[in-house]
Amino acid sequence: MSAADANIPAILLRYQVEAINLFNANSLFVEEKSRRTGLTYGFAANAVVKASPRVRPTNTYYIGYNRDMAREFIAYCGDFAKAFNEAASEPDEFLFDDGSEEGILALRINFPSGKSIVALSSRPRSLRGMQGDVIIDEGAYHDDLEAVLTAALALVMWGGRVAVISTHAGADNDFNTLIEDIRSGKREGVVHRTTLKDALEQGLYKRICLVTGKKWSPEAEAEWERKLRATYGESAAEELDVIPARGSGTYLPRATIEACMTPDYPVVRLTLEDGFERRDRQWRETYIADWLHDIVRPLIDKLFDPNRRSFFGQDFARSSDLSTIACGQIDPAAILHNRLGIELRNVPFREQKMILDYLCRHLPMWTAGKMDARGNGQQLAEDMQSDWGFDRIEAVMATQQIYLARMPRMKARFDDGTILVPRSDGVVDDLRLIKMVKGVPMIVDRTDDKADGAKGKRHGDYAIALMNLVCAADEDIQPIDLHTVDSRRVTASDFAVTTTGFGTIVRHDNFGARGGW
């Protein structure tokens, strides 16, 4: 080898070679990778090497999820065939017979060995009867990865091998489930992981500089990585660091929610019978006033610290779903305590306004509230703004932009353990209904209401109220502290410090659980 040859870098980087070696030694190989690290490129080289020898050559079937991916892979293979001086044919298009009536449009390169590299434009229904290796590219983005994998594994019986290569698309995605099954021993296979850090340490940016004619330096590499991470923003952990996001499925895991729940804080429910709104107005007002005095007021007196600002968040409904109100305070350790939850079903507009007015008057040092202003809730929110101040009541239009800006603030409190909410099946169910939809945390489903004797559906109502409570608690305005002559004021001596899993909370010593609350 000449001195000039010694300076020629290897065609593939070390992580590419490691992945190929593992693939060639195992029936099922899975690669979880950072974006644009060249793993598919390396596997194209391997496909050419395995299809070209005269002794035991191997077919390769490449499965992407669209035609452009198939064309790109075949182009890589054609380049490698020329680089390796292999007498391969030019790529040609044909209909691949997968057992369906229409077949699949495919691209193919043939070798003198009698073997081929075939790139399919969509997933096959079946690969039975075929022999060779299968590469499933960007597996996390296939509509039905398990079906594709089942078709591919049919080739393993005759010595074929299957590779699933992909970046992540969420912790609940089938691709991540496959990885977890292999790592837990539930499924035979091997997993290889390549992060951006791994690729850079093994020469990725140096290779980019070589190809593009740029001069490499540590400073230039650091700046390139900084810009790349800035481009991906919050997605960098998943796209570059190979950390599957909890984004494609459930937004908050049950364990995270339950770690932030306490039985000390109640959810009170008021369900009114059909026709309540037709009764005499004075009778209705008396009924609601009695309920507030007998049920809600004792809880406010016993659970709320009189020396702390109070806030509420609300989600509106009139009949089909729940109208929910989450009331809370922030303690000296910056933990947000949702000390009281209120769930209203089939409660008329006027009576909902009575309840909200009551909270503004009686919550200690009440400061701010954020209210759902979609649909019929808009008038209620505007009435509250008119009565209590536009700087204290916000009418929230729950658009995708609002969800995207505010749901993460609530999630951060659950992740950090800086929120305590009532221990309630309904609260858990509502929080579990938050899903990532095209990168936006939203509520799209309904679930049955599990409260004793309840009839109706939940639509993530308490989750919206909590989101609004979190944002209300962030408001930096002075509180309103209203009390009347006949109202009992609790004092600091009524409260005691209690240690929880995440810190300390202030709890009223004399509060005991009351049935159904």
Side-chain angles (χ1 to χ4, degrees):
M1 180 183 294
S2 66
D5 291 336
N7 292 325
I8 297 175
I11 295 175
L12 301 179
L13 299 173
R14 179 160 56 89
Y15 62 86
Q16 294 169 308
V17 174
E18 288 177 355
I20 289 169
N21 287 340
L22 285 170
F23 167 63
N24 291 335
N26 293 274
S27 297
L28 176 59
F29 166 82
V30 178
E31 171 73 34
E32 52 173 348
K33 68 181 183 68
S34 166
R35 289 278 181 195
R36 309 306 294 178
T37 46
L39 267 300
T40 302
Y41 182 78
F43 273 73
N46 187 58
V48 171
V49 169
K50 296 184 76 172
S52 58
R54 298 186 183 279
V55 179
R56 294 184 179 177
T58 302
N59 293 315
T60 294
Y61 302 94
Y62 171 89
I63 306 172
Y65 57 82
N66 60 39
R67 187 178 303 181
D68 289 341
M69 295 177 69
R71 291 188 184 282
E72 184 178 47
F73 185 79
I74 283 293
Y76 289 157
C77 292
D79 291 343
F80 277 117
K82 292 175 182 177
F84 298 160
N85 293 318
E86 295 294 343
S89 68
E90 291 295 321
D92 70 285
E93 288 190 358
F94 73 105
L95 281 177
F96 179 84
D97 182 9
D98 71 333
S100 62
E101 292 183 3
E102 62 275 12
I104 295 176
L105 182 65
L107 294 161
R108 174 176 55 198
I109 294 178
N110 296 316
F111 291 83
S113 64
K115 300 301 181 181
S116 304
I117 299 173
V118 178
L120 307 177
S121 61
S122 61
R123 73 174 182 89
R125 295 185 182 182
S126 175
L127 289 172
R128 300 186 189 282
M130 308 295 174
Q131 292 185 19
D133 294 345
V134 179
I135 300 170
I136 302 171
D137 201 5
E138 290 298 352
Y141 297 89
H142 284 259
D143 292 336
D144 191 346
L145 176 59
E146 187 61 34
V148 178
L149 190 57
T150 298
L153 289 173
L155 280 68
V156 170
M157 290 180 61
W158 292 94
R161 306 186 187 283
V162 177
V164 183
I165 305 170
S166 189
T167 48
H168 277 287
D172 297 321
N173 187 277
D174 286 346
F175 176 66
N176 191 55
T177 300
L178 173 63
I179 290 172
E180 291 178 348
D181 286 348
I182 292 174
R183 285 180 170 152
S184 66
K186 294 179 181 179
R187 192 165 199 163
E188 290 291 331
V190 62
V191 178
H192 185 254
R193 187 169 185 265
T194 304
T195 66
L196 179 65
K197 181 175 182 289
D198 297 329
L200 289 174
E201 288 177 349
Q202 296 175 40
L204 173 63
Y205 185 68
K206 291 179 180 178
R207 183 58 51 87
I208 291 172
C209 290
L210 179 66
V211 172
T212 59
K214 296 180 180 179
K215 183 178 180 180
W216 177 88
S217 70
E219 295 76 17
E221 181 171 309
E223 178 63 13
W224 178 85
E225 181 183 4
R226 185 194 67 78
K227 289 182 177 179
L228 184 64
R229 290 187 176 279
T231 299
Y232 280 101
E234 291 185 358
S235 300
E238 180 168 72
E239 300 285 352
L240 305 178
D241 300 324
V242 197
I243 301 171
R246 291 194 300 265
S248 64
T250 301
Y251 193 59
L252 287 167
R254 178 179 290 273
T256 300
I257 297 169
E258 291 184 345
C260 296
M261 303 189 94
T262 173
D264 290 342
Y265 299 154
V267 174
V268 297
R269 301 172 63 91
L270 175 63
T271 300
L272 298 181
E273 61 185 11
D274 293 338
F276 179 91
E277 68 280 3
R278 299 183 181 182
R279 286 180 172 268
D280 177 76
R281 176 174 172 178
Q282 184 175 356
W283 185 94
R284 298 199 318 266
E285 290 180 353
T286 301
Y287 183 95
I288 297 300
D290 288 345
W291 180 78
L292 289 167
H293 180 270
D294 295 341
I295 303 300
V296 176
R297 184 56 187 269
L299 296 174
I300 292 176
D301 288 345
K302 292 179 180 179
L303 288 172
F304 283 75
D305 184 341
N307 301 310
R308 294 283 162 191
R309 297 189 301 167
S310 298
F311 312 87
F312 73 77
Q314 181 250 17
D315 183 47
F316 175 81
R318 171 59 182 90
S319 54
S320 59
D321 298 320
L322 289 168
S323 200
T324 52
I325 308 168
C327 308
Q329 296 179 311
I330 296 179
D331 74 4
I335 297 174
L336 175 58
H337 295 253
N338 173 204
R339 300 189 187 278
L340 174 63
I342 299 174
E343 296 185 347
L344 310 174
R345 189 179 292 281
N346 201 32
V347 176
F349 297 92
R350 185 182 297 274
E351 283 68 36
Q352 291 199 40
K353 176 70 162 56
M354 281 185 62
I355 293 168
L356 289 164
D357 286 339
Y358 188 92
L359 293 174
C360 293
R361 287 195 299 269
H362 291 88
L363 287 174
M365 299 177 67
W366 177 75
T367 301
K370 299 203 181 285
M371 296 179 57
D372 173 21
R374 296 168 301 172
N376 291 332
Q378 186 171 8
Q379 180 173 342
L380 180 60
E382 285 185 358
D383 288 345
M384 288 293 295
Q385 288 179 309
S386 179
D387 290 349
W388 295 96
F390 284 77
D391 58 335
R392 297 186 183 277
I393 297 287
E394 180 187 359
V396 180
M397 293 290 186
T399 62
Q400 288 192 8
Q401 289 74 21
I402 289 292
Y403 284 131
L404 195 58
R406 299 188 177 186
M407 280 291 189
R409 291 159 69 178
M410 180 183 72
K411 180 178 182 295
R413 282 198 171 272
F414 278 98
D415 288 342
D416 297 341
T418 56
I419 190 170
L420 275 175
V421 302
R423 186 172 298 283
S424 161
D425 287 341
V427 174
V428 173
D429 289 346
D430 284 356
L431 289 167
R432 293 277 289 167
L433 284 178
I434 307 173
K435 308 286 184 182
M436 289 295 288
V437 180
K438 296 182 179 179
V440 180
M442 299 175 64
I443 294 169
V444 296
D445 300 322
R446 279 179 164 81
T447 186
D448 292 329
D449 196 340
K450 296 179 180 178
D452 292 341
K455 294 181 180 179
K457 296 287 185 179
R458 304 184 72 96
H459 190 214
D461 314 291
Y462 208 93
I464 301 300
L466 275 177
M467 177 191 78
N468 286 335
L469 170 63
V470 168
C471 293
D474 289 341
E475 292 292 343
D476 186 19
I477 56 179
Q478 293 302 309
I480 294 176
D481 189 15
L482 296 178
H483 61 279
T484 58
V485 174
D486 62 343
S487 64
R488 174 186 176 273
R489 297 290 303 189
V490 293
T491 64
S493 62
D494 291 324
F495 291 82
V497 174
T498 301
T499 301
T500 71
F502 290 110
T504 58
I505 65 171
V506 179
R507 179 181 60 81
H508 192 280
D509 266 354
N510 297 324
F511 176 70
R514 299 180 67 175
W517 291 0

